[in-house]
Amino acid sequence: MRIMKKYQMAVVILIMLAFCITIMPSAGQEYGNNMTRQWGEFGDKPGQFKFPAMIASDKSSNIYVVDQNNHRIQKFDSDGNFILMWGKPGSGPGEFNFPYGIAIDSKGNVFVSDMNNNRIQKFSSTGELLVFSGSYGTADGQLKYPYGIAIDEKDVLYVLDAFNYRIQKFDNDLKFLSMLLSKSLDDNSILQVLIEAEHSPLELKLR
């Protein structure tokens, strides 16, 4: 039993690492030592951060940052100019309790995993709350600390439901579809999951 629990936790850690999203450079930029710009400093004013967790970009190269310890999302253009922000601490609609993952669909809608509220929230590109779904639990559609999220080319959402040791699949309106990875780890077929998101450089692959 202890070995199985350790194995399950190891799988969760591997999934979390694979779900770490890195923003792709704009045209003309490169990785490595050729960084072209940076912005931000510690604080709670617009353009400042307290533990920026994850980032994503839309078709217009706008950049969305999960400003986790400020419990908000900040939006910038590709040059780092502040555009807008939304969110505050809490459990009400549009509020956050340590948000973590973020993903953008083909229409520019923004999905955020609201980790300590055990839910996913969907916003417009201007921060208008469209729908949210999830509660603490183990049933289909329920979550225990959702971490990374990704969206595929069909705008289907994948959620790393970390402490349920599984990945859940939702439609664009956050209705539960299916389970990709379950807590039953004796079947090797569930250890291989591939997500290629059209608008994100995220690839999740377990072997």
Side-chain angles (χ1 to χ4, degrees):
M1 181 64 69
R2 289 184 178 179
I3 294 176
M4 179 58 72
K5 287 184 178 180
K6 288 181 179 179
Y7 180 55
Q8 291 170 344
M9 184 57 67
V11 170
V12 169
I13 292 171
L14 287 173
I15 298 170
M16 290 168 60
L17 290 174
F19 256 97
C20 290
I21 301 175
T22 304
I23 200 74
M24 294 295 286
S26 302
Q29 294 184 16
E30 298 179 0
Y31 287 118
N33 296 323
N34 297 314
M35 181 181 68
T36 61
R37 65 184 64 90
Q38 64 179 11
W39 66 90
E41 60 184 4
F42 183 84
D44 55 12
K45 296 179 180 178
Q48 295 181 331
F49 303 103
K50 289 183 180 179
F51 193 76
M54 291 290 180
I55 56 177
S57 63
D58 61 20
K59 288 183 176 180
S60 300
S61 297
N62 295 310
I63 299 170
Y64 298 79
V65 181
V66 179
D67 187 8
Q68 189 179 71
N69 286 14
N70 279 323
H71 307 279
R72 66 188 183 187
I73 306 299
Q74 297 199 61
K75 180 179 179 179
F76 303 86
D77 66 19
S78 59
D79 293 319
N81 297 307
F82 175 81
I83 297 176
L84 59 86
M85 64 183 179
W86 69 87
K88 63 179 181 179
S91 58
E95 297 176 341
F96 297 111
N97 188 353
F98 292 99
Y100 190 88
I102 189 168
I104 314 295
D105 70 12
S106 62
K107 298 179 181 178
N109 297 312
V110 182
F111 294 77
V112 180
S113 60
D114 189 6
M115 187 171 63
N116 283 7
N117 281 325
N118 298 290
R119 65 185 180 185
I120 307 298
Q121 300 199 68
K122 177 183 178 181
F123 301 89
S124 71
S125 60
T126 58
E128 176 189 359
L129 178 65
L130 301 177
V131 66
F132 64 91
S133 178
S135 61
Y136 184 86
T138 60
D140 292 350
Q142 290 188 317
L143 302 164
K144 284 187 180 180
Y145 305 106
Y147 281 17
I149 57 177
I151 293 179
D152 66 16
E153 71 280 357
K154 296 181 180 179
D155 283 342
V156 173
L157 183 71
Y158 301 82
V159 179
L160 172 56
D161 187 9
F163 282 85
N164 277 324
Y165 307 98
R166 64 190 184 185
I167 295 172
Q168 297 198 63
K169 184 176 177 181
F170 298 84
D171 70 13
N172 200 255
D173 293 318
L174 296 182
K175 295 179 181 177
F176 174 81
L177 295 176
S178 63
M179 204 82 66
L180 279 181
L181 183 65
S182 74
K183 195 173 181 178
S184 176
L185 297 176
D186 54 348
D187 182 357
N188 289 332
S189 64
I190 66 174
L191 294 180
Q192 182 168 335
V193 180
L194 176 64
I195 299 172
E196 292 182 359
E198 182 179 14
H199 307 300
S200 168
L202 180 147
E203 184 181 87
L204 170 62
K205 194 171 186 179
L206 300 180
R207 296 178 183 234

